[in-house]
Amino acid sequence: MKSRFKYLIASTLIISLAFGFQNTLGQTLKKYEINAEVAPVKIYSDHLKMGGSNPKGETILVNNYFLSKSGNPFIPITGEFHFSRYPNQYWEESIQKMKAGGINIIATYVFWNIHEEHEGKFRWDGDRDLKKFIALCAKNDMYVFVRVGPFCHGEIRNGGLPDWLLGRPLMIRSNDPAYLSYVEKLYDEIGTQLKGTYFKDGGSVIGIQLENEYQHSAAPWGLTYAGQPHDWTAAESDLSLTQAGVGVSETKNPYADLGNDHMKILKSLALKAGMDVPLYTATGWGNAAIVTNESIPVTAAYAYPFWTAHKDISPFFLYKDMHCDPDYAPVRYQPEDYPAFPAELGTGIMTVYSRRPIVEQKSFDAMMNRCLGSGANGLGYYMYHSGSTPRGDRYYFSDEAYGLPKISYDFQAPIGEFGQVREGFQRLKLINRFAQEFGDLLAPMTTVLPENAPILKPENVTDLRYAVRIKDNSGFLFVNNFQDDLKTTDKPDIQIAIKTGGDVVTIPEASGFTMKEGENVIFPFHLAINGADLIYATAQLYTKSDDGKMPYYVFVSQDGSNAEFSFAKSNGLSIKKSPGISLDQNEKRILVKCSKGTSEFTANVKGRQTKILVIEKSLALQSYLVTIKGQKSLMFSDAVILQENDMISALSAGRNAFTIHVYPKFLGKLNAENAAVLASVNNSLMSEFNISVPEFKLEPTVRQIGERKTVVTLPPSLNGLNDLFLNIDYTGDTGMGFLDGELVTDEFWKGTLWQIGLKKFYPNAASKEMVFYFRPVNEGASYLDDISPKDRPDFSKLKQVLNIRKISFTPEYKVNLQFE
């Protein structure tokens, strides 16, 4: 493992930041150089007993470096969504949101205690209907990974183990035959639900995760006493090495062989229950057990953990070679034998009563950039779509012993507890589309690092962080300028020279580019575009279309920057410029310089034309890929754009009027259900449609019962809205919401707006009162260090603070669109 890592490091060169030269504008360029003349990674697969085909002859295979689909390298983009934590009547809308965000695999837990709360009585109805959920994923062309446990964690009571299991004469999470007999019954039940849904049957289930963090972590038993230390849900032989949450585990487990055997037994039970899939995974971080050569050991990275005593600055924004050196190493397996497949990248985090980390949404795409640049050939987001933990017949299923909210599982995720689409969703979309569209190029590429990579510390926010992935002189340059819990510095006038086997690519060739604080980029070099050799671009690849008469590529530039594209000169290449484009040619290349904002030019290679669209990141964040009349198109809007077959829907929160732009230009007619449409006639690159619906206006009726209790009267109906969000702007300790005296929603205050989607409660909630009970925050509360300084209460006059500033509604409109 270390020999290859040292070879890559030894083959690189970085020139000191102290060295620079004056460019023609009098600016001092900061020059970096990296030698990417490295041997390609060795690819082999005979040792792995995985893979499969479906009735159409399509295959999913895995080697030691990447996955392939029907012979083509494939980067899975996995989003975690727990079906049992969300109302089943809205599952399909959520699946469509995930697809719109660039997810191609949905991962979901099957929590044992939710399905068998009472021993011997399994429930698969309502929000527990696994079969229905899988069918909806298949309907929307989404693959599924099912995480079958028996232990899941997922911030569920006992980590998903039923309470009654504690009262049975057996040793949990062990090879005890009595325990395994219960697991076999669970797997048989899950197998019955999954029958006919597997990839081999033509279905969407391509993967099974066995257990979770086995011989690494556990959850506390929910049956406990106040003040009692946590009693972990682990076999007694593993208790001394069991830790809270995800972390590094340096100590070798003397019972590791038993753990390896246990994982093999679980796989045999899964196969016996019919769970025959191309891919099996096991959480392999921190010396956890896997099924050697029969499961992919997936990795994790959480930059804002709630299980640590205080904030810590993570290493997860520094480039490394993850194929040789996984996060949370040491590990129990040989890393070079498996692809680097992070399945739990912390896109958000939960809050517990004593710790309330605030996750910056910029961290999401920054971490994914770092992982891809570090050799990851899969991305998995935990959580991607959050929800609400259900209540059982006897107790809340939430992990109350760990100090979590009784219901809320918002996780600050890209898609919130009530389906809210957040900044992180938009940011990840750019990474996801890049990995989907160009994963066949990226996956086989070798990681190359600058020589200071092994000594660069997370606290160092001044040195440039970058890496290269390369194969056959073509590749991608990755740069990241984000660090959790620290503010990095703007880095202007950067120039990076990449030495390949054929030449030296200098990005950019004469001037420099700027990395803004908190941002990240991926620049291509020697990219083949329909016969043209793009030497480099100072814009990030986003997507492409090869269908229709005019193929196009879309690149994303940093806001306020002038992107440039250098094409190798050839006899058959010409560039057709448009307004805002300038050309500079010499005997070796054609340099295309784009003005700020949106621009387009055409590359013509011997009569074959390809349009290049360049958009700024702020616009790209509003983009959605759709199909209009068989044409792969981009739509840009403040609204969330979803598609099902030919029907496109727009969801607009808080705005009854919004604009949609379409690229390439659509010259037909747009009809909108129950909405007015005004098409704008202009000479821009895109079609423009202005859409409006009648405005929904409603001020909440609020009354106060003492200092801590507030009552909100809910409207008689949602009046055709897609949802109605109740917003509570307050400072306090905790908030709890009741309907008909039953707790239905709760929150731990952390300085952010509490938003509750009401549609899940209708029609039963019509005209009813929702009663809120708040508790004040106390001076010296353990979580105050997590709260932003601007949001911390002033305790100079009072030692307890409760302030309910404003309660309001935000309507979410839905408009169905039809292009004719």
Side-chain angles (χ1 to χ4, degrees):
M1 175 180 77
K2 292 181 180 179
S3 61
R4 178 174 172 264
F5 182 72
K6 288 181 179 178
Y7 170 71
L8 293 180
I9 294 300
S11 67
T12 62
L13 173 67
I14 181 172
I15 297 180
S16 169
L17 283 173
F19 177 78
F21 71 94
Q22 297 289 316
N23 66 10
T24 57
L25 298 177
Q27 299 166 315
T28 300
L29 289 180
K30 299 178 180 66
K31 295 189 65 179
Y32 302 82
E33 183 175 324
I34 185 166
N35 186 349
E37 289 184 301
V38 297
V41 68
K42 185 179 179 181
I43 307 295
Y44 50 95
S45 61
D46 291 345
H47 63 300
L48 296 176
K49 300 175 184 178
M50 284 180 283
S53 61
N54 67 10
K56 295 180 181 179
E58 298 167 332
T59 60
I60 293 178
L61 303 175
V62 58
N63 58 44
N64 68 308
Y65 204 59
F66 56 80
L67 276 62
S68 63
K69 187 166 63 172
S70 297
N72 296 313
F74 163 65
I75 292 185
I77 313 294
T78 307
E80 190 87 11
F81 177 32
H82 300 157
F83 65 96
S84 57
R85 279 177 155 144
Y86 207 72
N88 70 89
Q89 61 268 36
Y90 305 121
W91 282 345
E92 186 161 25
E93 179 182 283
S94 291
I95 292 167
Q96 290 170 3
K97 285 178 182 175
M98 296 179 74
K99 188 173 184 178
I103 300 298
N104 54 30
I105 300 175
I106 292 179
T108 194
Y109 269 134
V110 180
F111 295 114
W112 186 358
N113 53 3
I114 288 181
H115 295 281
E116 195 187 6
E117 181 180 2
H118 305 283
E119 185 178 352
K121 298 178 180 178
F122 280 91
R123 291 186 59 185
W124 302 99
D125 59 316
D127 297 345
R128 298 172 171 86
D129 194 341
L130 175 61
K131 185 182 295 185
K132 175 182 176 179
F133 181 74
I134 300 297
L136 289 173
C137 290
K139 178 184 174 184
N140 288 277
D141 298 318
M142 295 287 275
Y143 288 137
V144 183
F145 258 84
V146 185
R147 307 177 76 177
V148 298
F151 175 80
C152 295
H153 215 180
E155 290 71 60
I156 287 285
R157 183 182 177 93
N158 312 327
L161 301 180
D163 275 45
W164 51 260
L165 204 60
L166 185 60
R168 290 290 175 253
L170 50 81
M171 186 70 70
I172 64 163
R173 301 181 75 188
S174 75
N175 296 331
D176 183 333
Y179 172 70
L180 292 173
S181 70
Y182 282 109
V183 174
E184 184 172 9
K185 292 175 185 176
L186 168 68
Y187 279 11
D188 285 345
E189 283 281 339
I190 297 173
T192 299
Q193 297 302 310
L194 295 180
K195 186 176 181 180
T197 70
Y198 303 110
F199 184 72
K200 67 183 179 67
D201 305 315
S204 59
V205 178
I206 65 169
I208 296 291
Q209 181 186 297
L210 303 164
E211 245 280 348
N212 191 67
E213 301 175 327
Y214 188 64
Q215 291 191 322
H216 173 77
S217 183
W221 278 106
L223 288 169
T224 188
Y225 300 97
Q228 187 178 38
H230 288 319
D231 183 19
W232 299 110
T233 49
E236 285 187 10
S237 59
D238 297 325
L239 283 175
S240 63
L241 295 175
T242 298
Q243 59 179 268
V246 181
V248 173
S249 180
E250 297 279 3
T251 307
K252 187 175 181 180
N253 191 329
Y255 301 100
D257 288 342
L258 289 177
N260 297 341
D261 289 342
H262 183 69
M263 294 296 288
K264 291 178 184 177
I265 293 170
L266 291 182
K267 184 174 181 181
S268 69
L269 293 177
L271 285 168
K272 184 179 178 182
M275 299 182 214
D276 184 3
V277 291
L279 305 173
Y280 298 88
T281 62
T283 47
W285 53 80
N287 267 327
I290 69 165
V291 187
T292 303
N293 296 336
E294 296 184 34
S295 65
I296 300 173
V298 295
T299 64
Y302 287 96
Y304 301 88
F306 66 75
W307 49 86
T308 57
H310 48 74
K311 290 182 181 182
D312 59 353
I313 300 170
S314 81
F316 304 128
F317 301 96
L318 298 176
Y319 295 104
K320 64 191 303 188
D321 188 343
M322 296 178 68
H323 189 235
C324 298
D325 182 22
D327 291 326
Y328 299 113
V331 294
R332 195 180 296 187
Y333 58 90
Q334 189 68 24
E336 291 95 334
D337 284 347
Y338 305 90
F341 189 175
E344 283 197 23
L345 297 172
T347 43
I349 203 67
M350 274 305 292
T351 53
V352 292
Y353 184 77
S354 59
R355 283 291 322 278
R356 305 185 186 185
I358 312 299
V359 177
E360 190 169 350
Q361 304 260 311
K362 279 186 176 182
S363 70
F364 296 176
D365 55 317
M367 184 183 288
M368 306 318 137
N369 174 301
R370 172 266 187 181
C371 287
L372 291 178
S374 298
N377 276 328
L379 296 174
Y381 306 139
Y382 193 102
M383 294 287 295
Y384 187 82
H385 188 313
S386 49
S388 307
T389 304
R391 182 176 179 176
D393 295 335
R394 298 174 176 173
Y395 37 68
Y396 294 97
F397 281 124
S398 176
D399 194 348
E400 294 179 277
Y402 224 154
L404 276 95
K406 297 180 185 298
I407 293 174
S408 175
Y409 197 66
D410 179 75
F411 218 87
Q412 305 172 62
I415 302 178
E417 179 179 2
F418 300 99
Q420 313 97 307
V421 169
R422 294 173 172 150
E423 176 191 355
F425 172 95
Q426 310 294 6
R427 287 181 160 271
L428 287 175
K429 182 169 54 182
L430 306 188
I431 291 280
N432 294 345
R433 291 299 180 194
F434 163 72
Q436 277 204 37
E437 296 283 5
F438 305 101
D440 59 330
L441 301 178
L442 179 65
M445 290 180 173
T446 303
T447 298
V448 185
L449 304 170
E451 69 175 10
N452 70 334
I455 60 173
L456 195 61
K457 301 298 182 184
E459 294 80 7
N460 182 343
V461 295
T462 55
D463 286 357
L464 187 68
R465 304 174 179 195
Y466 66 105
V468 163
R469 287 188 68 174
I470 189 169
K471 182 178 185 292
D472 299 331
N473 300 325
S474 173
F476 297 95
L477 168 67
F478 295 80
V479 186
N480 173 49
N481 198 22
F482 178 91
Q483 178 64 53
D484 58 298
D485 294 318
L486 288 176
K487 189 176 180 66
T488 59
T489 59
D490 285 349
K491 296 174 176 59
D493 304 316
I494 297 166
Q495 186 183 65
I496 302 178
I498 304 168
K499 186 178 181 182
T500 73
D503 62 357
V504 176
V505 178
T506 303
I507 306 177
E509 66 174 49
S511 59
F513 68 90
T514 295
M515 273 306 308
K516 295 180 180 178
E517 184 275 325
E519 294 296 338
N520 66 91
V521 296
I522 305 171
F523 292 159
F525 61 91
H526 284 307
L527 174 72
I529 299 183
N530 294 335
D533 176 11
L534 178 61
I535 301 173
Y536 72 82
T538 57
Q540 181 165 318
L541 264 176
Y542 179 28
T543 188
K544 66 176 180 176
S545 173
D546 293 321
D547 57 355
K549 297 180 180 179
M550 179 60 72
Y552 63 82
Y553 279 64
V554 181
F555 287 79
V556 178
S557 63
Q558 297 188 82
D559 286 354
S561 71
N562 300 88
E564 64 182 50
F565 297 76
S566 179
F567 288 91
K569 197 78 173 285
S570 67
N571 291 332
L573 172 67
S574 64
I575 302 294
K576 180 182 178 182
K577 65 178 184 177
S578 58
I581 300 291
S582 63
L583 301 181
D584 179 59
Q585 302 188 46
N586 61 28
E587 68 280 2
K588 292 184 177 180
R589 54 85 178 133
I590 302 175
L591 190 65
V592 183
K593 296 185 177 182
C594 305
S595 60
K596 299 173 184 178
T598 301
S599 57
E600 183 190 63
F601 62 92
T602 304
N604 188 321
V605 181
K606 297 180 180 179
R608 185 177 185 185
Q609 299 185 73
T610 304
K611 288 189 177 295
I612 308 293
L613 177 69
V614 185
I615 56 178
E616 289 190 324
K617 188 168 186 176
S618 55
L619 180 60
L621 294 175
Q622 300 177 11
S623 64
Y624 296 86
L625 284 180
V626 296
T627 301
I628 301 175
K629 298 295 183 181
Q631 170 72 50
K632 185 176 181 180
S633 303
L634 276 170
M635 293 182 67
F636 300 88
S637 181
D638 284 336
V640 176
I641 305 297
L642 308 179
Q643 182 164 21
E644 181 181 0
N645 300 321
D646 292 333
M647 181 63 69
I648 295 175
S649 299
L651 307 181
S652 180
R655 297 183 181 181
N656 68 308
F658 54 93
T659 301
I660 289 176
H661 292 89
V662 180
Y663 178 88
K665 262 193 171 182
F666 176 75
L667 302 178
K669 183 181 179 182
L670 173 62
N671 292 322
E673 185 179 284
N674 301 320
V677 179
L678 178 63
S680 297
V681 179
N682 55 54
N683 295 319
S684 70
L685 300 172
M686 306 179 192
S687 303
E688 179 180 317
F689 302 95
N690 298 298
I691 300 168
S692 61
V693 296
E695 186 177 8
F696 178 88
K697 291 184 177 180
L698 181 66
E699 291 295 326
T701 301
V702 180
R703 60 191 179 94
Q704 200 70 26
I705 308 294
E707 292 183 1
R708 299 188 178 189
K709 196 167 287 187
T710 301
V711 181
V712 179
T713 302
L714 303 182
S717 74
L718 297 186
N719 199 33
L721 295 171
N722 189 62
D723 206 342
L724 181 64
F725 295 103
L726 178 63
N727 310 303
I728 303 177
D729 181 8
Y730 79 110
T731 297
D733 180 42
T734 59
M736 309 173 84
F738 298 82
L739 270 175
D740 294 326
E742 180 182 351
L743 180 68
V744 294
T745 183
D746 62 346
E747 194 223 29
F748 291 171
W749 172 80
K750 49 189 175 291
T752 55
L753 186 71
W754 184 14
Q755 190 172 64
I756 304 161
L758 296 178
K759 72 178 181 182
K760 68 178 288 186
F761 304 116
Y762 275 75
N764 293 336
S767 301
K768 290 184 178 179
E769 292 184 329
M770 184 171 277
V771 178
F772 291 92
Y773 181 66
F774 300 93
R775 292 181 181 173
V777 58
N778 291 280
E779 182 181 27
S782 60
Y783 53 78
L784 285 174
D785 284 345
D786 292 316
I787 309 299
S788 171
K790 66 180 178 59
D791 295 318
R792 292 175 196 162
D794 179 5
F795 293 105
S796 61
K797 295 180 180 179
L798 296 171
K799 302 306 180 187
Q800 289 187 328
V801 174
L802 176 60
N803 183 13
I804 303 167
R805 286 179 289 275
K806 185 178 180 181
I807 296 178
S808 62
F809 286 129
T810 297
E812 183 178 69
Y813 305 93
K814 181 176 181 179
V815 179
N816 293 325
L817 309 173
Q818 191 77 44
F819 288 87
E820 295 182 354

